[in-house]
């Protein structure tokens, strides 16, 4: 990719990007800037990096985990000013309102149509390549969820490809985190169209969830997470 760019701003940006752990190098030859990608690099890798390092993304992510009681605490954790945090929250609030998702304070959180919220965060974390271990659960619990997902796919004779497996894992972890914070899907059909393992088959998973979330995990919650 070669583009003619002018001005000192680009000089600052290409120097900054070259110092970042990105799979690319920006060079300038006779006034022309070019981007040379590493062999393994894809546009998805670049996009995920830009999302994860942007302050806007980090604010939206913090709304999901509900760890900040107020704006100042959120600003301190994300290493930005109080005024910048207010500005980002206002912008995010205006954009999310389009999908009937509301932003609240104390703690900073999102609420509204729960199905929409979970689907939004599924797409959001998928695009940023959120790792399963970033959902604030132990490796032991994640491993148990992984085993349950594999069991579910086998019971329903569904091919365990990486896309289906990843979607079920992210959806389950997002659902579990939302239930842990007291958010539930209302009027959820009891018929998911799937054969779901019984809780008797998931005794270890239920114990781990109880230990880490203080939830008495039941069939309704299992269905909701799936």
């Amino acid at each position: 990719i070669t583009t003619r760019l002018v001005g000192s701003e680009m000089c600052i940006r290409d120097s900054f990007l070259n110092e970042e752990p990105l799979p690319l190098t920006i060079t300038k030859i006779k006034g022309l800037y070019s981007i040379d990608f590493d062999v393994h690099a894809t546009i998805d890798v670049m996009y995920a990096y830009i999302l994860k390092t942007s302050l806007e993304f980090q604010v939206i992510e913090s709304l999901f985990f509900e760890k900040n009681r107020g704006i100042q605490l959120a600003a301190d954790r994300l290493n930005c000013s109080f005024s910048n945090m207010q500005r980002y929250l206002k912008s995010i609030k205006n954009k999310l309102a389009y999908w009937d998702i509301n932003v609240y304070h104390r703690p900073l959180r999102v609420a509204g149509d729960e199905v929409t919220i979970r689907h939004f965060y599924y797409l959001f974390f998928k695009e940023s390549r959120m790792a399963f271990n970033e959902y604030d659960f132990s490796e032991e619990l994640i491993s148990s969820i992984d085993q349950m997902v594999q069991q579910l796919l086998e019971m329903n004779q569904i091919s365990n490809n990486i896309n289906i497996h990843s979607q079920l894992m992210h959806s389950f972890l997002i659902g579990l985190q939302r239930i842990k914070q007291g958010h539930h899907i209302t009027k959820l059909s009891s018929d998911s169209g799937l054969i779901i393992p019984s809780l008797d088959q998931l005794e270890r998973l239920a114990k781990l969830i109880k230990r880490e979330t203080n939830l008495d995990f039941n069939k309704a919650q299992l269905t909701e997470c799936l």
Side-chain angles (χ1 to χ4, degrees):
I1 303 171
T2 304
T3 308
R4 183 177 295 275
L5 296 163
V6 295
S8 60
E9 184 180 0
M10 182 59 201
C11 294
I12 295 171
R13 286 179 178 174
D14 79 275
S15 174
F16 167 76
L17 287 171
N18 281 335
E19 292 174 359
E20 292 293 298
L22 291 168
L24 61 80
T25 302
I26 298 176
T27 56
K28 178 185 177 183
I29 302 175
K30 295 182 178 179
L32 291 176
Y33 287 89
S34 64
I35 303 176
D36 300 315
F37 288 95
D38 293 352
V39 175
H40 69 278
T42 65
I43 193 65
D44 290 343
V45 171
M46 288 294 304
Y47 189 54
Y49 178 85
I50 290 169
L51 276 178
K52 290 188 79 73
T53 55
S54 74
L55 189 55
E56 291 91 338
F57 170 87
Q58 293 168 19
V59 173
I60 294 173
E61 185 179 58
S62 72
L63 291 170
F64 175 78
F65 287 104
E66 300 187 10
K67 290 183 178 180
N68 300 308
R69 298 301 303 176
I71 295 176
Q72 187 60 64
L73 182 58
D76 292 342
R77 283 184 170 174
L78 296 179
N79 195 28
C80 72
S81 67
F82 183 87
S83 59
N84 273 342
M85 178 59 65
Q86 280 188 314
R87 181 163 55 87
Y88 287 130
L89 283 170
K90 182 178 179 180
S91 175
I92 291 166
K93 183 175 183 178
N94 291 338
K95 289 179 174 66
L96 292 182
Y98 180 82
W99 291 282
D100 294 325
I101 300 175
N102 302 309
V103 176
Y104 294 97
H105 296 188
R106 299 190 180 281
L108 290 174
R109 66 196 187 281
V110 289
D113 183 81
E114 189 61 24
V115 173
T116 302
I117 289 171
R118 295 190 193 188
H119 185 60
F120 167 76
Y121 273 105
Y122 164 69
L123 296 174
F124 193 65
F125 291 142
K126 178 186 175 185
E127 298 253 318
S128 65
R129 298 196 169 194
M130 179 91 151
F132 299 145
N133 61 11
E134 293 180 81
Y135 279 101
D136 209 19
F137 296 117
S138 70
E139 290 290 346
E140 192 178 6
L141 176 53
I142 292 169
S143 175
S144 187
I145 295 171
D146 183 270
Q147 291 172 20
M148 182 276 297
V149 167
Q150 293 183 50
Q151 181 182 350
L152 175 75
L153 294 173
E154 288 175 6
M155 291 174 65
N156 289 275
Q157 298 182 329
I158 300 172
S159 298
N160 189 1
N161 66 53
I162 190 169
N163 290 328
I164 293 174
H165 186 272
S166 175
Q167 181 175 357
L168 286 171
M169 287 292 294
H170 279 292
S171 295
F172 195 98
L173 291 164
I174 288 169
L176 186 59
Q177 189 67 245
R178 293 293 291 172
I179 292 172
K180 172 187 171 183
Q181 294 158 357
H183 307 290
H184 295 274
I185 297 174
T186 58
K187 299 179 181 179
L188 181 67
S189 172
S190 59
D191 182 13
S192 65
L194 293 173
I195 301 170
I196 298 178
S198 66
L199 288 178
D200 292 340
Q201 297 173 286
L202 304 172
E203 186 176 348
R204 180 171 177 271
L205 174 62
K207 285 182 178 179
L208 289 170
I209 290 174
K210 173 68 173 178
R211 186 183 74 184
E212 297 189 28
T213 67
N214 205 31
L215 292 169
D216 292 316
F217 200 63
N218 57 40
K219 185 178 179 181
Q221 292 170 342
L222 174 61
T223 303
E224 188 177 333
C225 285
L226 290 169

